[in-house]
Amino acid sequence: SGAPAAEWGGFEDNMQSGGSAVIDMENMDDTSGSSFEDMGEMHQRMKEEEEEEAEGEAGAGEEEDGEFLGMKGLRGQLGRQVADQMWQVGKRQASRAFSLYANIDILRPYFDVEPVQVRARLLESMIPVKMINFPQKIAGELYGPLMLVFTLVAILLHGMKTSDTIIREGTLMGTAIGTCFGYWLGVSSFMYFLAYLCNAQITMVQMLSLLGYGLFGHCITLFVTYNIHFHSLFYIFWLVVGGLSTLRMVAVLVSRTVGHTQRLILCGTLAALHMLFLLYLHFAYHKVVEGILDTLEGPNMPPFQRVARDIPVVSNAVLNTTAKTIALTL
């Protein structure tokens, strides 16, 4: 009984060792199978990754090609739409820059003034200021000066018609407009440049306004003296009315200029130009215009007329002698 028991124990040990070997084989088989499956999955994943990378590179190449062709304007509706929008925006901006309404908006602040203010400024242009220790205020508008320039043009045309000037080939409005606007713009520009050199605190718009309102005295003087032809009356108006308007401008410039020499140069130049221009309009303007017309159109010759001409005495004697000779011959 002891030997069978021992044999049985050895058999059990062999069975246990064989079972463990079988289990190990199974485990080994499972491990090997899972490793083969993992290798297959890894291989498949590597293939998929390579395909994705190839597709990504192809897509990137197509996008680069598309961008290049889009910059050249050869592909896609998006590029054309963007180009059309840019063209429309540029066209609108250009039309807005050259439109009349936009220009009117730019000039509107300089003409936005009430008639009551214009009337008050016309009266102030004849009253010289006394306070020159601080800068005097100058209206920054151009409506009043522009109307005064046109008024001066109308007065000059009226003076041409009431004088002995012969108007040929239409009116002389172009000459009057050129003279008045040339003086207003030209002298204003020159005085602004001189004020800049003399360090006067004044802008170009203020200079145009100051000189334009200064023409109010010229308009009054010429309107009165063109209808009442007395030289003494003109000199009185020239000194009083023209002098008051000139003193007003001089006082304003003095209040805005520092330095006695600068004040003397600036104010003396303005006073001389303003007063001499009034003398020119009264005495020399008509003669200068007549000279220009004679130069351009020729002298004012009377129209051609047919008149009977007298036969000279020598011709009569020759005719009488010839008639007598023919009669004696016959």
Side-chain angles (χ1 to χ4, degrees), residues 48-161:
E48 291 178 356
E49 290 178 358
E50 290 178 357
E51 291 177 357
E52 289 178 358
E53 290 178 359
E55 291 178 357
E57 292 177 357
E62 290 179 357
E63 290 179 358
E64 292 178 356
D65 294 339
E67 291 178 357
F68 177 74
L69 294 176
M71 291 298 292
K72 296 296 183 179
L74 300 176
R75 183 186 173 190
Q77 295 181 355
L78 183 60
R80 289 195 294 270
Q81 290 178 358
V82 172
D84 292 339
Q85 290 180 359
M86 293 178 63
W87 170 257
Q88 293 296 332
V89 170
K91 185 178 180 181
R92 284 196 298 269
Q93 290 179 354
S95 62
R96 190 182 299 112
F98 291 99
S99 63
L100 180 61
Y101 186 75
N103 295 332
I104 291 175
D105 283 341
I106 294 173
L107 298 176
R108 184 175 296 173
Y110 302 109
F111 294 89
D112 188 9
V113 62
E114 298 294 333
V116 179
Q117 296 176 348
V118 175
R119 183 181 61 187
R121 288 166 185 169
L122 288 176
L123 295 177
E124 290 176 357
S125 66
M126 303 297 297
I127 303 174
V129 295
K130 298 180 180 179
M131 301 296 294
I132 60 174
N133 295 326
F134 57 92
Q136 295 294 323
K137 184 179 179 181
I138 302 175
E141 53 93 8
L142 300 177
Y143 175 77
L146 187 63
M147 294 299 104
L148 282 172
V149 173
F150 280 118
T151 303
L152 186 60
V153 170
I155 292 173
L156 288 179
L157 293 177
H158 172 71
M160 295 290 287
K161 292 180 180 180

Side-chain angles (χ1 to χ4, degrees), residues 187-250:
V187 175
S188 297
S189 302
F190 175 72
M191 292 306 302
Y192 174 72
F193 175 72
L194 195 61
Y196 176 78
L197 295 180
C198 295
N199 198 18
Q201 302 299 322
I202 191 169
T203 62
M204 184 62 187
V205 176
Q206 291 176 342
M207 182 61 73
L208 287 170
S209 178
L210 182 65
L211 188 63
Y213 278 110
L215 293 175
F216 182 58
H218 288 34
C219 293
I220 295 175
T221 302
L222 293 176
F223 181 75
V224 173
T225 55
Y226 278 164
N227 293 291
I228 303 174
H229 300 284
F230 291 108
H231 291 297
S232 58
L233 181 65
F234 167 76
Y235 286 118
I236 293 173
F237 272 82
W238 179 67
L239 289 174
V240 176
V241 180
L244 287 176
S245 63
T246 305
L247 284 177
R248 168 74 182 190
M249 294 188 297
V250 167

Side-chain angles (χ1 to χ4, degrees), residues 252-263:
V252 172
L253 285 180
V254 167
S255 66
R256 288 176 170 267
T257 309
V258 179
H260 296 287
T261 305
Q262 290 85 351
R263 288 177 176 179

